[in-house]
Amino acid sequence: MSKIIAVCPKEYPGVNAVFRHGAALGLWTHLHLEDTIPENDFVILGAWHPSYEEYLDKHRCVVYLTSTFGQMEFSNNQIEIQYIPMFIELLNKNRIKAILAGWKEVADYFNDRVKEKSFYCPYPFSEAYLKEIKEGAFIKEPNSVGIFLPCAPRKNTFNQLLAAVKSGMKIYTNLPYNFENPNINKIEWLSNEEYFLFISRLTLTLHCTFTESFSYAAAESLMLGTLPIVSLQISENLNLPHNLICYQCDSVSNILSKIEGIKELDEFRYEEHIRSCQGHFRFKNKINFALTKDVLDKVTNLVVK
């Protein structure tokens, strides 16, 4: 099998998360634009960057699109949407061998236009680095909620913070809003290990975004033993039950109702719920891993022809 290298700029956090988890699972080797890549290797380019042009002549390339169409529309000046015709042209000219998409509707769109060159490739998730945190080494802080999100329009941060304030819970957040509320605790910066330990001590985390393909933060929260409340799109990849899904993310009262439902759980029911949700996600993740591995085998055969 040809060696697979996944490349993206350091400043693409979402793509880096996908590639980092895939590398931890042994699906590919994760490198950045600054790294040296041997010629003719099979290269997966994460999203798009102008400097990718030089890779197309030196390597056998495919492009992995990690965004939904909604995320693309929210990109700066809708630049990701504008790349779509370019991808079709590159496929037709065989300059890129295939499109991989983490969201099935994106894969279907390209497959309708360039047959047998677009593949649904689910987002990989590895628990490896979370296992370094000893199980049972943390004590839950009652009635505590974490909101750790970039302050971007599609992240729906203000609605979520308002709902958390109305819940009366103790709030930990990186958001810059200046609320004069004693329950809000600003967290400026944490290392990865400090962040994971911190999340593991909370009662719940909020991830009720307007458009999202996969939330690694929500998956990490779940596997660290803290229930995440998520949007419908995120729930599809995490395989979560209805009481953790916010169906109206633009509604403070709807987000609040989901928070109140978690607050009502006693310690035993909370732990039982966590174990059940973790089991469902692991089952979904196992299926996704097998599908991604199968897709990479197919694309490798296509690329090395």
Side-chain angles (χ1 to χ4, degrees), residues 42-215:
F42 171 12
V43 176
I44 300 176
L45 303 171
W48 187 256
H49 189 275
S51 64
Y52 286 170
E53 282 283 351
E54 64 183 80
Y55 286 75
L56 301 184
D57 296 324
K58 296 179 181 178
H59 309 283
R60 295 165 291 183
C61 297
V62 303
V63 171
Y64 193 153
L65 300 178
T66 61
S67 298
T68 64
F69 286 127
Q71 286 176 294
M72 292 181 191
E73 191 171 350
F74 270 106
S75 62
N76 290 337
N77 299 318
Q78 297 185 327
I79 189 67
E80 289 187 49
I81 290 287
Q82 296 174 41
Y83 285 145
I84 290 175
M86 179 193 69
F87 290 139
I88 293 172
E89 182 181 356
L90 290 173
L91 285 168
N92 284 325
K93 290 182 176 179
N94 206 35
R95 295 199 72 206
I96 59 175
K97 308 299 182 182
I99 289 284
L100 304 178
W103 197 251
K104 191 174 185 303
E105 290 175 356
V106 175
D108 290 344
Y109 174 89
F110 283 99
N111 202 41
D112 287 342
R113 286 151 181 82
V114 186
K115 296 295 183 184
E116 298 180 356
K117 285 193 174 184
S118 179
F119 302 87
Y120 170 50
C121 189
Y123 310 97
F125 182 82
S126 169
E127 290 185 62
Y129 58 95
L130 298 181
K131 289 179 179 177
E132 295 175 5
I133 300 172
K134 295 180 181 178
E135 294 185 12
F138 26 83
I139 299 172
K140 287 286 183 189
E141 181 175 349
N143 290 320
S144 58
V145 55
I147 311 173
F148 294 94
L149 295 165
C151 200
R154 67 182 175 84
K155 295 297 184 179
N156 192 33
T157 55
F158 201 67
N159 278 327
Q160 295 185 77
L161 187 58
L162 286 177
V165 168
K166 283 195 169 190
S167 75
M169 299 180 80
K170 192 168 185 178
I171 302 163
Y172 295 95
T173 185
N174 66 317
L175 298 177
Y177 304 121
N178 292 317
F179 275 70
E180 292 184 4
N181 187 302
N183 284 334
I184 298 179
N185 299 271
K186 295 284 184 68
I187 306 298
E188 297 297 333
W189 184 87
L190 295 170
S191 67
N192 279 345
E193 185 177 352
E194 289 170 334
Y195 171 76
F196 293 143
L197 283 169
F198 194 85
I199 292 298
S200 71
R201 296 187 178 109
L202 301 176
T203 306
L204 61 90
T205 55
L206 296 180
H207 309 270
C208 307
T209 58
F210 286 136
T211 178
E212 202 81 59
S213 48
F214 185 93
S215 172

